[in-house]
Amino acid sequence: MSPKAEDRKPAPIVITGISGNLGGLLTRRLHTRHPIIGIDRRPFEGKPKDVVHHRIDVRRRKAEDIFRANRVGALVHLGLVHQPSRSGRAHRDQNVLGTMKLLEYCARYGVRKVVLLSSAYAYGAQPTNPNFLSEDAPLAADLNTPEMRALIEWDMYAQSFFWKHPHIETVILRPVHVVGKNVRNAPSNYLRLTHPPTLLGFDPMIQLLHEEDLLQAIALALEPGKRGVFNVVGPGEVPLSRALRELGRTPVPIPHFLAAPVLRQMWRLGLSAFFPGDLPHLKYQCMVDGSRARAELGFHPEHTLRETIRAIL
Amino acid sequence: MFEEATDRLCEFLKGMADPAVVARLDRVDAKLNEFGVDPFGFDPELAKTIIPAMVFLYRHYFRVQCQGLENVPTGRVMLICNHSGQLPIDAMMICSAMVLEAEPPRIVRSMVENWVPTLPFVSHLFARWGQIVGTRENCLRLLASDQPILAFPEGVRGINKTFGERYQLQEFGLGFMRLALQARAPIVPLAMVGAEEQTISVYNARGLAKLLGLPNLPITPLTPLVGPLALLPLPTRYRLYVGKPMEFTGNPDDEDSVIAEKVKRVSQTIHRMLHDGLRARKHWFW
């Protein structure tokens, strides 16, 4: 093969966390145009035939071999593990150390594009928040929970990588609560409860993002020339109570001074599916400004607010 | 069950509302989404529940007399007022004046203290009624979308004054001027006469307030007799004077001394309007 033909062949994209719901959807969206290499310890159900999947931990030596052996064009890192019940230490090791390794391979083997999926969770729900946080707002999520600490450390590390390697187009996406039919994250699970706990006298505004709109944002981030940190916001803002009503839920309002101890005990005993670390999100708002993604990535959510809320059904 | 009860309460309050005022609120230009709220959480339907209380306080209790409301320009504007009365009823009456008397009716966004979101019920009701936490970002964003902002540059220093300090303007913060310069928003000076006398505070129990987690705890001559009820305002007559818009130009990042010069022109105007108003007033209550 002549070098010219080699150039024309699209470079493979490595997707971590490919076996997850989002990884599967992204793969099906991209695999007809790019060769896809997946890294995930979990089995990949419904894997397209042309996709190569390595069932390994990203921290293993073999993960580096993937970068060495292939002329990887881009990394899409979806491999952030959100599992609040895991031990804090293992959670951090998996997420932060795993990402450090991956980014090290990218720098060493000349990957030109890195897309990292962070979360608007990192800003934290606080009474002093302006209604719309920009990308420059401090990442001030509740540092008492190891998951939030790990997320912030992770996002900060991603940002330092962005500055240290100007020749790599690094994109950090901070989507608001992602919801979807098969999405199993905390906000989706919360909205699926028949009797979701709410805080008596508190009704914060929330923002939701349809998983398919998130895919669009990732696809836009992969385009050449795009770099930076972007909040990704869905079609609008809605009071939490209105979203629950749209879904036909019957909220159980708890006085806020009782909520933390009660929900913590219930979580510990396995009686409640609500992670008490997410309590500030039922009390204060954590909304972000998505204008940068609109202007620079050309991102426009395709689903309406009502469709987005109903996406969890 | 809880939801049904609140729904029924809302319907009841809306039913009590003066239809003419409801019609005015419906004319307010707001960017509502399919759930009837604007991006900042303003909800005209829920705002209607406060109309009965607002109309009662404005027309019958404080019998607000408003002069010069036609001076408020359309588009972005910052309303700057003296602050008084221990409870922020002056803010509520200014917002009411803009709904009840301004043409066209407008929703004024007042910049509230950032402990408001920590208070149950108050937190989201304030937001649904169009009030907002007073951060720089919020203010600039609202001005950019041509909304009227209400701010009290004296802050708690103004509202907590004791009776002996009434109508003495406290030091103005500089933040509002920087925001006005940055957003190129005209400033309309307001003077509120009458709110000072609604609560006769003789002493500020700051230490006790801190213990109770309150911003301040005014003690009035009636406190020993009726306790917290002494904070209920007396039915003094409110007189609201609206001045001519003031335009300022300059660099919003100028030195404090340069900004303070401009702020002084606003505070002097308000001072003059206050004292003209006081001279014209014959009696506290009518």
Side-chain angles (χ1 to χ4, degrees):
Chain A
M1 203 189 285
S2 72
K4 240 183 165 174
E6 171 87 45
D7 273 355
R8 241 177 284 128
K9 201 181 117 210
I13 296 175
V14 170
I15 301 178
T16 61
I18 197 166
S19 309
N21 170 59
L22 189 64
L25 291 172
L26 184 67
T27 305
R28 275 182 279 282
R29 188 176 172 129
L30 296 176
H31 78 104
T32 50
R33 276 169 293 156
H34 301 271
I36 301 286
I37 302 171
I39 304 180
D40 200 319
R41 284 196 304 196
R42 299 166 291 179
F44 186 1
E45 275 154 38
K47 177 177 83 72
K49 279 203 193 72
D50 53 351
V51 171
V52 186
H53 176 212
H54 299 275
R55 282 192 66 179
I56 51 168
D57 189 304
V58 292
R59 288 168 289 177
R60 295 276 296 280
R61 184 130 211 128
K62 218 174 145 226
E64 183 171 2
D65 295 341
I66 297 169
F67 283 83
R68 188 185 295 122
N70 301 281
R71 204 172 45 88
V72 175
L75 165 72
V76 180
H77 184 30
L78 309 173
L80 215 56
V81 179
H82 293 290
Q83 234 175 318
S85 54
R86 289 168 64 116
S87 95
R89 182 63 194 268
H91 187 268
R92 180 194 169 275
D93 284 358
Q94 167 99 39
N95 284 333
V96 181
L97 301 183
T99 304
M100 285 168 90
K101 280 274 180 228
L102 273 174
L103 293 181
E104 197 184 302
Y105 309 150
C106 289
R108 193 175 299 156
Y109 300 106
V111 177
R112 286 189 303 268
K113 168 77 84 180
V114 174
V115 178
L116 298 146
L117 192 66
S118 179
S119 167
Y121 254 73
Y123 297 112
Q126 292 182 90
T128 49
N129 275 352
N131 281 42
F132 297 96
L133 295 152
S134 75
E135 286 83 354
D136 309 323
L139 303 180
D142 184 7
L143 294 177
N144 294 323
T145 55
E147 293 75 22
M148 288 299 117
R149 268 205 310 273
L151 174 62
I152 291 175
E153 189 179 352
W154 186 91
D155 191 295
M156 300 277 199
Y157 186 79
Q159 289 182 64
S160 76
F161 180 82
F162 170 84
W163 291 110
K164 263 193 278 186
H165 298 280
H167 55 286
I168 301 177
E169 288 177 0
T170 304
V171 181
I172 301 169
L173 298 176
R174 294 192 190 133
V176 297
H177 306 311
V178 178
V179 291
K181 200 172 167 52
N182 300 310
V183 176
R184 292 279 175 268
N185 59 6
S188 297
N189 290 343
Y190 173 78
L191 292 173
R192 281 192 193 99
L193 299 173
T194 326
H195 298 284
T198 57
L199 295 181
L200 184 63
F202 290 92
D203 186 14
M205 299 285 287
I206 57 168
Q207 290 170 318
L208 302 171
L209 179 67
H210 197 289
E211 57 178 348
E212 285 165 17
D213 287 327
L214 176 59
L215 288 183
Q216 183 208 340
I218 296 173
L220 289 167
L222 278 169
E223 282 178 10
K226 309 289 188 206
R227 56 192 300 152
V229 186
F230 299 98
N231 293 332
V232 186
V233 182
E237 297 74 26
V238 66
L240 176 63
S241 63
R242 224 57 72 80
L244 293 175
R245 182 171 293 198
E246 175 69 24
L247 293 166
R249 306 297 183 228
T250 318
V252 183
I254 309 172
H256 64 284
F257 46 88
L258 287 179
V262 168
L263 289 173
R264 205 172 298 134
Q265 280 308 322
M266 286 177 68
W267 166 260
R268 194 171 296 155
L269 299 172
L271 296 174
S272 143
F274 183 80
F275 176 54
D278 291 332
L279 212 50
H281 285 271
L282 300 184
K283 197 169 179 189
Y284 305 126
Q285 58 191 14
C286 174
M287 298 203 297
V288 296
D289 176 3
S291 53
R292 189 188 284 179
R294 273 201 300 280
E296 292 182 28
L297 292 182
F299 170 74
H300 295 282
E302 278 162 16
H303 293 81
T304 66
L305 190 48
R306 186 160 275 128
E307 283 167 8
T308 305
I309 295 171
R310 301 190 73 93
I312 61 129
L313 294 174
Chain B
M1 183 193 75
F2 180 75
E3 261 192 4
E4 263 173 44
T6 52
D7 281 357
R8 226 174 302 141
L9 180 66
C10 287
E11 284 312 314
F12 173 72
L13 289 170
K14 267 197 262 181
M16 301 245 304
D18 180 349
V21 182
V22 172
R24 288 185 68 82
L25 204 58
D26 284 333
R27 279 169 57 207
V28 168
D29 179 31
K31 297 183 189 79
L32 305 179
N33 64 18
E34 61 224 83
F35 290 88
V37 289
D38 87 346
F40 289 89
F42 168 58
D43 177 353
E45 283 308 308
L46 209 63
K48 285 173 188 168
T49 59
I50 202 180
I51 290 178
M54 183 175 91
V55 170
F56 169 73
L57 289 176
Y58 190 88
R59 295 203 176 132
H60 306 292
Y61 198 80
F62 296 112
R63 296 148 291 135
V64 182
Q65 282 180 345
C66 199
Q67 261 183 41
L69 210 55
E70 65 284 355
N71 288 337
V72 179
T74 55
R76 65 188 68 182
V77 59
M78 281 182 101
L79 309 176
I80 301 296
C81 190
N82 62 310
H83 208 8
S84 56
Q86 311 303 331
L87 292 173
I89 301 173
D90 48 357
M92 190 184 171
M93 290 300 105
I94 294 167
C95 295
S96 306
M98 290 292 284
V99 171
L100 297 172
E101 301 199 27
E103 199 51 51
R106 293 176 82 183
I107 291 295
V108 176
R109 311 294 196 134
S110 43
M111 304 271 100
V112 304
E113 292 287 335
N114 57 19
W115 53 269
V116 164
T118 67
L119 305 173
F121 300 103
V122 176
S123 58
H124 73 273
L125 287 176
F126 263 42
R128 300 296 169 273
W129 295 335
Q131 311 310 300
I132 198 158
V133 176
T135 69
R136 266 178 56 82
E137 293 89 340
N138 282 345
C139 186
L140 288 173
R141 196 174 289 272
L142 285 164
L143 287 174
S145 58
D146 283 335
Q147 311 225 25
I149 298 281
L150 170 63
F152 299 97
E154 293 172 281
V156 287
R157 291 187 298 276
I159 194 167
N160 290 352
K161 291 194 301 288
T162 53
F163 194 65
E165 301 166 310
R166 65 188 186 279
Y167 299 112
Q168 295 170 16
L169 283 186
Q170 304 297 300
E171 191 194 334
F172 274 38
L174 306 182
F176 82 92
M177 182 56 74
R178 295 189 190 278
L179 292 168
L181 290 173
Q182 192 168 342
R184 297 211 179 82
I187 287 174
V188 171
L190 307 182
M192 180 63 95
V193 175
E196 291 277 16
E197 291 87 0
Q198 71 185 15
T199 309
I200 298 171
S201 161
V202 288
Y203 177 69
N204 253 325
R206 292 221 168 77
L208 188 58
K210 209 167 215 175
L211 271 180
L212 297 173
L214 301 169
N216 76 318
L217 188 63
I219 305 293
T220 81
L222 290 175
T223 302
L225 295 174
V226 294
L229 289 180
L231 270 179
L232 289 181
L234 303 171
T236 52
R237 185 188 275 280
Y238 274 27
R239 291 167 172 81
L240 177 62
Y241 299 93
V242 183
K244 294 266 185 244
M246 306 169 79
E247 304 263 359
F248 291 91
T249 49
N251 179 0
D253 296 321
D254 265 334
E255 294 286 324
D256 276 0
S257 56
V258 182
I259 300 291
E261 242 355 89
K262 298 185 165 96
V263 169
K264 207 169 159 195
R265 278 170 52 201
V266 178
S267 66
Q268 279 171 344
T269 309
I270 294 175
H271 178 87
R272 204 166 46 242
M273 288 161 56
L274 261 183
H275 286 270
D276 288 350
L278 280 173
R279 255 199 307 282
R281 179 171 76 160
K282 296 282 181 291
H283 197 283
W284 286 7
F285 290 103
W286 52 81

